[in-house]
Amino acid sequence: MKLKICGMKYPDNILEVGSLLPDYMGFIFWEKSARYFDGVIPNLPKSIKKVGVFVNETTEVILAKAIKYDLQAIQLHGHESVEFCLNLKNELDSKIEIIKVFSVDDDFDFEVLKPFEAVCDYFLFDTKGKLPGGNGTTFDWKVLEKYPSSKPFFLSGGIGIEELEAVKEISKTNLPLYAIDVNSKFEIESGLKNIEKLNSFKTT
């Protein structure tokens, strides 16, 4: 199972987290976020895929950021349509992955996923909350028993050390769980990650 550490902000902290060699590192390009990134990404190990997180952004801005920051993945965290995803997919370098986010609660309708299967590489399931992410709460993972697709997905939403056993249990199922996405539960403050806690999570 892959690990994505999202909401990175500070260069020294980015390098510290990079030393843990997560599979993905996320940078939020949504200006209303407390973790909004507008700095310089220091050189990271080549194995780490840099993810740009966008919320209802234009294709032009996403493409510009992808080039500027040499992104390997684009995470769409807003209300982007199938048509938008298809257009972006056609405009991006074919090596850049597209991750489409869906906010989940107990009443989530998995049928809405079907049209997106052909236009993204992964789904990401986050907890439905006031903000498009970083709410620090988990949703009831039992709802994933209804998951009808073979499309691999990232699991997000308030995942911390306390959720580790539940993560291990869900990894034993037949669900195509591709990666765990962590953020707020490992922070000292918004955008600043606790290296010791992350290392403990990664190595347990």
Side-chain angles (χ1 to χ4, degrees):
M1 197 187 330
K2 307 289 187 184
L3 176 64
K4 174 173 173 276
I5 301 173
C6 199
M8 300 307 304
K9 191 169 182 178
Y10 302 103
D12 289 345
N13 194 231
I14 291 169
L15 287 173
E16 287 182 314
V17 171
S19 71
L20 300 179
L21 298 178
D23 302 282
Y24 293 83
M25 193 180 289
F27 300 88
I28 298 174
F29 297 111
W30 184 55
E31 291 187 12
K32 294 180 181 179
S33 173
R35 303 171 184 86
Y36 174 63
F37 186 82
D38 192 28
V40 175
I41 301 176
N43 289 328
L44 292 168
K46 296 293 185 184
S47 64
I48 300 174
K49 293 184 178 181
K50 290 174 287 186
V51 184
V53 180
F54 300 91
V55 180
N56 301 322
E57 191 51 270
T58 64
T59 300
E60 290 74 22
V61 168
I62 294 174
L63 293 173
K65 297 283 189 187
I67 293 170
K68 178 179 179 179
Y69 292 103
D70 186 28
L71 301 177
Q72 284 79 50
I74 303 296
Q75 181 173 316
L76 301 174
H77 221 303
H79 302 292
E80 297 85 5
S81 66
V82 174
E83 290 75 21
F84 181 90
C85 295
L86 178 60
N87 180 58
L88 181 63
K89 189 179 182 70
N90 290 335
E91 293 286 341
L92 284 171
D93 184 311
S94 60
K95 295 178 182 177
I96 298 179
E97 300 168 354
I98 294 180
I99 304 164
K100 181 68 185 84
V101 179
F102 294 89
S103 298
V104 177
D105 58 15
D106 292 346
D107 301 316
F108 184 73
D109 180 10
F110 284 98
E111 290 301 309
V112 302
L113 303 176
K114 283 187 178 179
F116 287 91
E117 290 189 351
V119 296
C120 66
D121 298 284
Y122 303 100
F123 295 138
L124 185 151
F125 298 125
D126 199 0
T127 307
K128 192 171 186 178
K130 292 182 179 180
L131 298 172
N135 292 292
T137 55
T138 57
F139 62 92
D140 186 352
W141 294 349
K142 287 184 179 179
V143 73
L144 294 172
E145 293 173 2
K146 303 174 186 176
Y147 186 60
S149 175
S150 60
K151 177 71 70 176
F153 64 85
F154 289 67
L155 184 58
S156 187
I159 297 174
I161 290 174
E162 297 80 9
E163 284 69 43
L164 192 54
E165 288 306 313
V167 167
K168 289 180 179 179
E169 287 303 312
I170 197 170
S171 70
K172 296 174 185 176
T173 68
N174 292 324
L175 288 167
L177 175 58
Y178 174 72
I180 294 296
D181 180 9
V182 301
N183 188 348
S184 58
K185 286 284 186 74
F186 292 91
E187 287 187 327
I188 299 165
E189 61 181 67
S190 294
L192 184 65
K193 300 300 186 285
N194 185 312
I195 303 303
E196 288 75 22
K197 287 180 72 173
L198 281 171
N199 187 52
S200 176
F201 182 81
K202 189 173 186 292
T203 56
T204 301

